[in-house]
C-alpha cells in the first residue's frame, strides 16, 4: 500500500492507536547483532513513525516502551534501554521547537532514575501546548499497576470524604488512571507475531480492535500502520449491540 494515497486523510483515521512495539531482540538475532542493536533500531523506527503519524494527522499514539515486567531482564539490557530512552527524550527536547508533537508519559515513573524523571517532566512541560500528535509513552507501565495506583488514589479521596464509595462509576474511576483525558484506543497493534497483551492498557482496551503482524518492530513503518488502519476499517464494531 502506498502511503501517499492515505496522507491528509485524517478524518478516516482512528483517533487513538496503541502499539506494543515487540521484536527488537529477534530482529537483532536474525542479523547476528547484540540485542542493544535491536533496541537502537527500534528507537529509530519509533522516531520515524512518530513523525509520519503527526503528518497524517493522527491525534493520539500510545507506545509500550518498557513494562513493569521488563525489570526482570538482565541488568545490562535494562541499562541499555534506559540509556536509549535518555537519548530519545533528549532528542525530543532538542527538536521540540521544530515540531508540533506533544509528549505524555504513562506508568510509574517514580521508579526511574531521577534524571530521567526530570527529563520527562521537562519534555511534558515543554510540549504541553502543542497541537499536533499526542505521543504517549508507556514507561514502567503495567495495566495492573496502573489500576492498583488508581484504587489507592480513589480510596484516599473516599477516606477524605471527597467522594462517596457509592458514587464511584466507570467515569469517576477513569479519572484516576494515567490515561485521564485520553480517549480509549480504537486500534491496538502488536508486532513480532505474539498475540498477547503483556499487561498493556487492560482497562482502556475493553472495546479496542486488535491487529497482529509478524513484522518485527524495527521493520515496522507508516505503510504498515496504514495497512492496519485499512483492516480496522473493515471491522464491524458492535459495542454489544446487534
Ligand atoms: C521489545 O522488543 C522492546 C522491549 C520490550 C523493551 P523485545 O526486546 O521484547 O524483543 P524480543 O521479543 O526479544 O524479540
Ligand atoms: C511487551 O513486550 C512490553 C513492551 C513492548 C515494552 P515483552 O517482550 O516484554 O512481552 P512478553 O514478555 O513477550 O509478553
Ligand atoms: Mg518481546
Amino acid at each position: 500500500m502506498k502511503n501517499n494515497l492515505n496522507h491528509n486523510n485524517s478524518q478516516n483515521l482512528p483517533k487513538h492507536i496503541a502499539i506494543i512495539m515487540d521484536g527488537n531482540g529477534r530482529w537483532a538475532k536474525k542479523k547476528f547483532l547484540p540485542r542493544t542493536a535491536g533496541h537502537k533500531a527500534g528507537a529509530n523506527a519509533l522516531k520515524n513513525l512518530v513523525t509520519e503519524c503527526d503528518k497524517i494527522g493522527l491525534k493520539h499514539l500510545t507506545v509500550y516502551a518498557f513494562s513493569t515486567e521488563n525489570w526482570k531482564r538482565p541488568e545490562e539490557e535494562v541499562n541499555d534501554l534506559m540509556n536509549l530512552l535518555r537519548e530519545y527524550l533528549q532528542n525530543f527536547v532538542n527538536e521540540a521547537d521544530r515540531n508540533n508533537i506533544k509528549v505524555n508519559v504513562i506508568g510509574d515513573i517514580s521508579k526511574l532514575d531521577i534524571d530521567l524523571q526530570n527529563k520527562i517532566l521537562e519534555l511534558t512541560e515543554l510540549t504541553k501546548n502543542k497541537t499536533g500528535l499526542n505521543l504517549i509513552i508507556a514507561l514502567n507501565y503495567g495495566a495492573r499497576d496502573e489500576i492498583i495506583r488508581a484504587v489507592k488514589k480513589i480510596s484516599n479521596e473516599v477516606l477524605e470524604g471527597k467522594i462517596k464509595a457509592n458514587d464511584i462509576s466507570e467515569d469517576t474511576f477513569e479519572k484516576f488512571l494515567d490515561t485521564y483525558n485520553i480517549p480509549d484506543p480504537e486500534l491496538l497493534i502488536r508486532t513480532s507475531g505474539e498475540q498477547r497483551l503483556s499487561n498493556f492498557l487492560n482497562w482502556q482496551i475493553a472495546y479496542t480492535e486488535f491487529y497482529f503482524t509478524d513484522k518485527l518492530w524495527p521493520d515496522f513503518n507508516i505503510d504498515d500502520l496504514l495497512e492496519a488502519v485499512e483492516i480496522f476499517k473493515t471491522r464491524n464494531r458492535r459495542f454489544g449491540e446487534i
Side-chain angles (χ1 to χ4, degrees):
M1 179 176 315
K2 281 287 145 282
N3 70 36
N4 53 6
L5 290 175
N6 293 277
H7 278 188
N8 303 318
N9 209 7
S10 59
Q11 67 278 19
N12 281 329
L13 282 173
K15 279 201 181 63
H16 184 177
I17 298 177
I19 308 184
I20 302 177
M21 310 183 289
D22 198 10
N24 294 350
R26 277 162 284 169
W27 183 91
K29 194 169 182 198
K30 263 180 38 189
K31 294 184 149 47
F32 305 100
L33 293 167
R35 290 180 60 85
T36 344
H39 293 315
K40 218 176 157 65
N44 271 330
L46 177 62
K47 189 165 192 283
N48 293 331
L49 191 75
V50 164
T51 308
E52 295 299 322
C53 282
D54 183 45
K55 274 194 210 155
I56 62 171
L58 182 67
K59 206 50 220 149
H60 307 274
L61 177 72
T62 300
V63 294
Y64 206 2
F66 194 89
S67 75
T68 46
E69 286 71 34
N70 287 145
W71 298 106
K72 294 181 205 158
R73 296 189 178 198
E75 197 182 330
E76 203 187 314
E77 178 163 345
V78 170
N79 287 338
D80 284 342
L81 283 166
M82 292 300 155
N83 284 331
L84 268 173
L85 184 65
R86 255 185 201 94
E87 243 176 73
Y88 190 87
L89 296 174
Q90 185 56 50
N91 204 275
F92 235 108
V93 170
N94 298 345
E95 290 178 4
D97 275 353
R98 270 166 281 151
N99 68 45
N100 197 21
I101 297 163
K102 176 169 157 181
V103 181
N104 284 125
V105 169
I106 56 170
D108 181 5
I109 66 163
S110 72
K111 303 279 171 5
L112 304 179
D113 286 350
I114 192 76
D115 73 296
L116 270 174
Q117 294 182 40
N118 289 333
K119 193 62 67 197
I120 289 163
L121 295 179
E122 181 188 353
L123 188 54
T124 47
E125 181 60 29
L126 194 63
T127 62
K128 70 175 184 208
N129 294 322
K130 301 277 191 184
T131 54
L133 175 74
N134 181 20
L135 171 66
I136 302 135
I137 310 176
L139 276 180
N140 189 29
Y141 177 88
R144 289 180 172 183
D145 178 67
E146 178 192 35
I147 291 168
I148 293 295
R149 283 185 289 108
V151 168
K152 286 180 183 163
K153 284 182 246 169
I154 211 166
S155 308
N156 280 326
E157 301 241 320
V158 170
L159 282 174
E160 289 167 17
K162 290 184 186 151
I163 302 177
K164 289 200 185 88
N166 259 331
D167 291 343
I168 298 174
S169 64
E170 291 181 14
D171 286 344
T172 3
F173 185 71
E174 276 178 348
K175 296 199 169 73
F176 292 84
L177 293 171
D178 298 347
T179 49
Y180 173 52
N181 258 345
I182 304 165
D184 290 343
E186 294 99 319
L187 172 64
L188 170 77
I189 298 171
R190 183 168 188 151
T191 57
S192 89
E194 310 297 352
Q195 303 195 355
R196 55 175 170 265
L197 265 191
S198 304
N199 204 9
F200 191 45
L201 301 176
N202 294 12
W203 172 281
Q204 294 85 347
I205 55 151
Y207 264 104
T208 299
E209 296 293 327
F210 293 179
Y211 175 85
F212 301 106
T213 168
D214 287 337
K215 273 228 175 170
L216 302 171
W217 174 251
D219 294 327
F220 191 87
N221 62 32
I222 188 70
D223 286 336
D224 299 311
L225 180 131
L226 290 169
E227 200 170 314
V229 168
E230 287 307 313
I231 303 283
F232 165 81
K233 287 191 207 157
T234 68
R235 303 273 176 90
N236 183 3
R237 304 185 77 203
R238 283 186 288 276
F239 301 101
E241 297 171 32
I242 51 169

